[in-house]
Amino acid sequence: MERLTHGPTVKAPAERFTGDAWIDVISPGARPPFVRANLVRFAPGARTAWHRHTRGQTLHVLAGIGLVQTRGEEINVLRPGDTVRTGPGEWHWHGAAPTHFMVHLGLLEGGAPDGEPDTEWAGHVTDSEYDPPPAEA
Ligand code: MN
């Protein structure tokens, strides 16, 4: 067994997130199978920008109420215990509901040994795009 040490909690960068979100790298994915695990805490209303992952990503919600959307599809509500996976190249965003924090573990596949980018980022999710189902507003 090996106890992994963690660096400090870091604030999610403003160019890639709206609102306040904080990230802990639980596992850097430096060795096979190269899965990086990030614990991310989103304040109410905070969300990622639109992005896609080269290999794919699994999100597991630990607390709060979350939202996730694939481009062209409906916004989905996530609750503790829910797990979703976005496939390779699927444009999406994820974040907290407007009035609730959300904490998820993000398992990012393919922090590959050749250093290929694991994520491509695009524009912020606008307030009009961030339009959760009425029960979550
Ligand atoms: Mn993602």
Side-chain angles (χ1 to χ4, degrees), residues 63-87:
I65 299 178
L67 303 172
V68 61
Q69 184 181 28
T70 291
R71 195 181 285 289
E73 299 180 9
E74 298 294 305
I75 294 175
N76 284 279
V77 177
L78 300 175
R79 296 183 183 280
D82 286 346
T83 306
V84 296
R85 181 173 185 274
T86 58

Side-chain angles (χ1 to χ4, degrees), residues 15-65:
E15 65 272 24
R16 292 178 175 174
F17 287 68
T18 297
D20 288 335
W22 296 84
I23 301 172
D24 285 282
V25 178
I26 302 300
S27 171
R31 291 168 291 186
F34 305 110
V35 173
R36 185 166 76 237
N38 286 340
L39 181 69
V40 188
R41 299 174 171 93
F42 293 86
R47 67 270 190 184
T48 69
W50 287 100
H51 63 283
R52 61 180 177 178
H53 304 295
T54 304
R55 302 285 178 86
Q57 182 185 47
T58 297
L59 302 174
H60 179 71
V61 176
L62 299 171
I65 299 178

Side-chain angles (χ1 to χ4, degrees), residues 15-16 48-51 71 91 93 121-126 129:
E15 65 272 24
R16 292 178 175 174
T48 69
W50 287 100
H51 63 283
R71 195 181 285 289
W91 287 103
W93 61 269
W121 293 89
H124 281 292
V125 175
T126 65
E129 290 175 314

